[in-house]
Amino acid sequence: MTVWDDVVGQERVQVQLSAAARDADTRVTLEARREPAPDASKMTHAWLFTGPPGSGRSTAARAFAAALQCTSPDRALGGEPGCGFCDGCHTSLIGTHADVDVIRTDLLSIGVKETRELVRRAQLSPAGGRWQVIILEDADRLTEGAGNVLLKAVEEPASRTVWLLCAPSLEDVLPTIRSRCRHLTLRTPSVAAVADVLIRRDGIEPEAAHSAARATQGHIGRARRLATDERARARRATVLKLPLRVEDIGGCLKAAQELIDAAAEDAKQVAEEVDVKETEDLKAALGASAGGRMPRGAAGAMKELEDRQKRRKTRSQRDSLDLALTDLTGFYRDVLALQMGSGVALANDDVRDSLDRIARGSTPEGTLRRIEAVVACRQALDRNVAPLLAVEAMAVALRAG
C-alpha cells in the first residue's frame, strides 16, 4: 500500500504530487553528490491545497509529506517515492516523524504568537529526514497579523523547508501568501470512492459504508464518523426531523432550542474527553501537591488554559451546528430534486417518506427559499450572531417557505 492509497478520487492531484516528489528526490540525491540540480523542476517550497470540506486536503498533504521523506531502497532502482512501508513514510503518516510538523487548531483562529513559533521551527534544518515539512491544516484560520508573519517565511524559506497549506478556497488565504504557493484544487470524491475506502481501510460493512457515503455526499471524515458512531447517526436523525416540526411558531422555537441543546451536548462530550486530562497534566507540570493545592504563581497558567478550553468549546459547538445545517441543506436539496423530477441519487433516501411529504406540500420556489434560509443561518453564525437567535430565525423562515 503506497502513501497515495488514501487520497480518494484525486487522480490529477496525485499525478502532480508524485512528479514533484520524484523531482525532490532527484534534487536531494544530486545535492548529496555535490552536483547541480536541474533548472526545470516540478518541486517548489510552498503548496496550497484547496477544496470543499471532506475532499481530503490534509490527507493529500500528509501523503505528499510522506513521499518527500521516503527512504525506501527501491528508489535507487527506479521506484516511486512514497512506498508506504519504510520508516520515513510510516512515521510521516502516523504523525511521529521528527521533520514533519502538522499544525491544526481546535480554536476559532491561529494567532501571531503561534505563527511566530511555527516560523522559527521552519528555519531549522531537517533533524534526520530529507526535508523539513510543515503542514498547516487550517490556513484559513490565520488572523491577518498571523498571515503577515507567515508571509516572510514563505517568501524566504530555508533550503530544505516545504510549506503545505490547506484551506477551503483561495479566497480564504491572504493574496500575498497564495501568490507564492503552487495551487492544487481537490474535488469532492464520488460516493462510490468514499464507500470503497471505508470498506477497504476501516473494515466497515459494504451496506453501511455506501449508506454513510451517500448521506454525506462524499465527505470522507463525516462518512466514517456516521458509519462508526451511533451518536452521530442519532444526531442526524434528529436534524432530519426538523422540517416536519416547523408547522407552527411553537414548533419552530422548540425545534431550534433542541438543535442548540444537541450542539451544546456534543461540544460538552468533546470537552470532557480532553479538558480533564489537559488540566491534570498542567497541574502536574506546575508541581501541584498531592491534595491538589497549586503552587504560588500558577493561577495565570491555569486561567490561560481555562480560556483556551472555553474557546475550543465554542468552536466545537459551532462545528456541530454547522454539521447539522449541512445535513438540513442536503435534505432540502433532495426535496428540490423530487419536485423537479430530477434523476439524481438522493442523499437521504433513508427518510424518503419525509422527503415526499415535504415535496408534495410545497413548491420548488419555496424549497429554494428554505435552502437560502439555511445558508443565511450559517452566515449569521459566521458573523457571531447568537446561535439560538440565528437558528430560531431560520426555523421561522423554514415554516414560511
Side-chain angles (χ1 to χ4, degrees), residues 105-178:
T105 183
D106 48 15
L107 305 179
L108 297 175
S109 62
I110 301 175
V112 171
K113 180 180 178 181
E114 301 95 317
T115 307
R116 281 178 177 158
E117 173 60 22
L118 188 60
V119 169
R120 185 195 66 79
R121 294 209 306 268
Q123 301 304 314
L124 303 176
S125 298
R130 303 162 68 80
W131 297 88
Q132 174 82 271
V133 183
I134 299 178
I135 303 173
L136 185 56
E137 291 190 354
D138 301 295
D140 55 308
R141 295 187 181 271
L142 289 167
T143 63
E144 184 175 354
N148 291 330
V149 171
L150 180 64
L151 175 61
K152 184 69 173 177
V154 174
E155 281 183 323
E156 302 175 4
S159 60
R160 287 288 186 86
T161 295
V162 181
W163 290 90
L164 306 181
L165 312 181
C166 304
S169 69
L170 283 173
E171 289 70 26
D172 291 313
V173 181
L174 286 176
T176 48
I177 292 179
R178 67 182 186 234

Side-chain angles (χ1 to χ4, degrees), residues 168-196:
S169 69
L170 283 173
E171 289 70 26
D172 291 313
V173 181
L174 286 176
T176 48
I177 292 179
R178 67 182 186 234
S179 66
R180 290 161 175 80
C181 299
R182 186 166 298 172
H183 181 215
L184 293 175
T185 303
L186 283 73
R187 61 184 182 181
T188 300
S190 68
V191 170
V194 174
D196 176 70

Side-chain angles (χ1 to χ4, degrees), residues 245-277:
R245 303 179 57 199
V246 293
E247 296 179 349
D248 54 54
I249 294 297
C252 291
L253 300 181
K254 185 176 180 181
Q257 185 63 63
E258 289 180 359
L259 196 60
I260 294 296
D261 290 344
E265 180 63 26
D266 197 24
K268 181 180 178 181
Q269 290 175 350
V270 173
E272 287 176 350
E273 296 172 359
V274 180
D275 290 359
V276 174
K277 185 177 186 305

Side-chain angles (χ1 to χ4, degrees), residues 58-59 61-63 65-66 91-105 110 118 121 132-138 162 164 166:
S58 59
T59 300
R62 285 173 180 264
T91 54
S92 296
L93 291 176
I94 65 175
T96 59
H97 197 292
D99 296 316
V100 177
D101 289 309
V102 181
I103 292 85
R104 66 177 68 85
T105 183
I110 301 175
L118 188 60
R121 294 209 306 268
Q132 174 82 271
V133 183
I134 299 178
I135 303 173
L136 185 56
E137 291 190 354
D138 301 295
V162 181
L164 306 181
C166 304

Side-chain angles (χ1 to χ4, degrees), residues 65-84:
L68 292 176
Q69 305 290 11
C70 183
T71 57
S72 169
D74 293 342
R75 291 181 299 102
L77 304 175
E80 295 283 330
C83 65

